[in-house]
Amino acid sequence: ICVKHQSTPLLCFSVTAFATTKMKTIILATILGAQSWKSKDRTETVAKNLTNCIELGTTCSENYTHTSDRNRMVKSAAECCDATCALWTCGKGWKGSVSYHDNIGKSNEKCCDKTCSLVSCPSGQGTIPSLANEPGLEASYCCADLCSQHACYGSWTTDPSKAKVVNNTNEACCQPSCQSVTCDSSAGLVLDVSKADTAGTTSNFCCLKTCKYMSLNSECRAGYGIKAAVAANLSMTLPTGVSSSNKTCCSPKCSSITCPTGQIAVRAFANDFADVVECCQSTCSKFTCPHGWTAVVANADNAQGASPAEACCERTCVLFNCRSESNSGWFNSTDQNKLTTTLQSYETCCDSSCVNYTCPARHVLRPDPETRPRTSASTACCEPALCPELRDNRTSMADDVNCNMKNQSECGKAFWTFVSETGVKTFVPCTFQATPLNLCRLDDTNITTNCSRL
């Protein structure tokens, strides 16, 4: 008889042919019982190899941490570490946080925050777009009014296509109404009040034409036009195509007036409406230009007009203010050739000041550069870089005082001035030499000259 049980080798026994069935059964049971006892012994041996995570002293790899039940029996150190949330990918509507990375978990609930996209907003509100992917649980934080709740008025009117947009501003929720359109009154257009609250962005749709519009775009007969008073009455809305013989709009202009003896028609007023005072005036040949102006020879036969200086004369550089702009970089000139020039500009009327002048290395602009005319020499605009320190933070010592007399706190506030026979001033700051002399002395490495206001 041969028997094999689980992983044991094949066992074979010889049994005589005369053995009864009962004897064969006894032999087989004996063999199987022995194999079962052997298997039981091996299981008990394995159980003795189990231990807990505390005894193992396990060190978990990155993004894993010690199991919460470190007393449980395990077969290997790998069973002592659990995956942390750092390995979890948050699902739609959830957002991870580094503050959860050390948590043990494999779910949105343990590893992620709910975002505002999962919050149900009340009627009339929607999720704030900028918060849709941010953590949030309350509608009061995540939701805001829809455009359907916003009242559009004035230069705005409701835009149905934006009803479900989350916003509360006119720009986001509304569309421009005809009140937002500037009907150009100078062109003779006025708002059509019947369309004030209607969506519209063009003057062709939103504006009405007035008599003033007709004066600019229609033809009165030669020498006629529409008076200012009529054109100014913007309530007089008229259809297009008004006849040139329309007596309601058209009045005579100066071009239709014959001037009295001794006067001439003012050419500049030819298209203005008739008035003897306005249409006929003395000529520029009889006008004396005021100071700062020069006569325009070509205008001698022109009418003086309401502003004779403007009509008959030109401004010269005498009237140009080179200092009109702070730090403009220009200086009022005394050059007569420039002062009589009529081409008014900084370049033609002014001398450059020291403003915006680029000084050479180790030099800075002198005080009040806007009051200093620029010359070809840099010294006109610039002084040594040490000068502001001497001028603003130090005091020149008297003739009978020297740096040696200053203590350490006074040393950095003084300088020595030497005046040569030719009147040239030389400045030397005091400096404190801590070692080896512990003495205030002249800083002969910073000798300078040519400082303003010293």
Side-chain angles (χ1 to χ4, degrees):
I1 298 174
C2 293
V3 179
K4 188 177 189 313
H5 179 65
Q6 294 181 350
S7 61
T8 62
L10 183 68
L11 300 177
C12 296
F13 296 89
S14 294
V15 181
T16 63
F18 301 100
T20 64
T21 300
K22 183 176 181 179
M23 290 176 64
K24 293 177 182 180
T25 301
I26 292 172
I27 293 171
L28 181 61
T30 301
I31 294 171
L32 292 177
Q35 294 302 314
S36 174
W37 178 258
K38 181 177 180 181
S39 177
K40 179 179 179 183
D41 287 345
R42 188 172 66 84
T43 301
E44 289 176 353
T45 301
V46 172
K48 290 178 182 179
N49 289 332
L50 294 177
T51 186
N52 59 44
C53 294
I54 295 176
E55 292 179 356
L56 284 174
T58 308
T59 299
C60 296
S61 59
E62 184 179 3
N63 296 329
Y64 285 82
T65 189
H66 292 293
T67 181
S68 56
D69 182 10
R70 301 190 67 190
N71 289 312
R72 73 185 184 188
M73 304 305 290
V74 296
K75 294 180 180 180
S76 66
E79 298 180 53
C80 292
C81 298
D82 288 333
T84 67
C85 286
L87 299 175
W88 179 254
T89 301
C90 296
K92 184 177 181 180
W94 298 80
K95 185 174 184 179
S97 172
V98 294
S99 62
Y100 300 150
H101 279 190
D102 292 334
N103 291 358
I104 297 174
K106 296 180 180 180
S107 67
N108 290 327
E109 290 74 9
K110 289 185 178 181
C111 299
C112 314
D113 287 321
K114 273 188 176 181
T115 65
C116 285
S117 63
L118 298 180
V119 174
S120 296
C121 295
S123 178
Q125 292 191 335
T127 304
I128 299 172
S130 62
L131 298 179
N133 295 320
E134 296 301 322
L137 299 174
E138 301 295 332
S140 59
Y141 171 74
C142 296
C143 305
D145 286 346
L146 298 172
C147 281
S148 60
Q149 308 300 306
H150 180 74
C152 301
Y153 57 89
S155 59
W156 302 90
T157 189
T158 302
D159 186 345
S161 67
K162 300 176 180 177
K164 294 185 178 180
V165 173
V166 178
N167 213 302
N168 61 355
T169 64
N170 290 328
E171 291 76 9
C173 296
C174 312
Q175 57 185 328
S177 70
C178 277
Q179 292 186 60
S180 68
V181 176
T182 300
C183 295
D184 188 359
S185 60
S186 66
L189 300 176
V190 294
L191 176 66
D192 185 347
V193 294
S194 67
K195 298 178 180 178
D197 295 324
T198 302
T201 57
T202 65
S203 58
N204 284 341
F205 177 75
C206 297
C207 305
L208 291 175
K209 297 173 182 177
T210 67
C211 196
K212 182 175 183 177
Y213 178 89
M214 307 311 297
S215 73
L216 299 173
N217 297 278
S218 299
E219 292 183 1
C220 291
R221 64 188 179 91
Y224 283 75
I226 300 176
K227 289 184 178 181
V230 175
N233 187 357
L234 297 180
S235 64
M236 297 178 65
T237 56
L238 300 173
T240 58
V242 172
S243 169
S244 60
S245 62
N246 189 298
K247 296 181 180 180
T248 301
C249 292
C250 299
S251 298
K253 294 184 176 181
C254 283
S255 58
S256 67
I257 298 298
T258 300
C259 293
T261 302
Q263 295 185 341
I264 63 170
V266 182
R267 290 194 296 269
F269 295 160
N271 289 322
D272 290 344
F273 290 98
D275 183 284
V276 173
V277 175
E278 294 178 355
C279 292
C280 303
Q281 293 182 356
S282 299
T283 63
C284 286
S285 60
K286 297 181 179 180
F287 182 75
T288 300
C289 295
H291 176 70
W293 299 74
T294 187
V296 180
V297 176
N299 292 351
D301 293 330
N302 291 355
Q304 295 180 10
S307 301
E310 297 286 352
C312 303
C313 314
E314 284 184 300
R315 294 173 181 266
T316 67
C317 285
V318 170
L319 301 179
F320 190 85
N321 184 6
C322 299
R323 310 297 303 145
S324 60
E325 296 182 15
S326 177
N327 297 324
S328 64
W330 297 99
F331 189 78
N332 289 328
S333 179
T334 57
D335 185 343
Q336 289 301 312
N337 291 327
K338 286 189 174 185
L339 294 178
T340 56
T341 301
T342 58
L343 298 175
Q344 299 219 331
S345 68
Y346 287 107
E347 289 77 7
T348 56
C349 295
C350 309
D351 293 332
S352 297
S353 73
C354 287
V355 171
N356 299 326
Y357 184 82
T358 301
C359 293
R362 296 186 296 278
H363 286 71
V364 295
L365 287 177
R366 294 184 182 277
D368 303 322
E370 70 277 4
T371 65
R372 299 177 183 274
R374 185 183 305 184
T375 67
S376 58
S378 64
T379 54
C381 296
C382 305
E383 64 181 4
L386 180 62
C387 295
E389 163 67 16
L390 301 179
R391 183 170 51 247
D392 299 335
N393 301 320
R394 294 176 180 252
T395 303
S396 179
M397 296 181 294
D399 293 340
D400 58 347
V401 179
N402 57 58
C403 294
N404 293 345
M405 299 178 181
K406 302 291 184 180
N407 58 36
Q408 184 173 1
S409 63
E410 296 173 338
C411 189
K413 301 177 181 178
F415 67 93
W416 176 72
T417 303
F418 171 75
V419 183
S420 70
E421 293 181 357
T422 60
V424 176
K425 292 182 178 181
T426 300
F427 310 101
V428 186
C430 296
T431 183
F432 190 81
Q433 188 174 28
T435 58
L437 302 177
N438 195 36
L439 179 70
C440 182
R441 58 184 294 275
L442 289 173
D443 185 1
D444 54 10
T445 65
N446 276 318
I447 299 174
T448 191
T449 61
N450 197 23
C451 291
S452 297
R453 299 180 184 175
L454 286 180

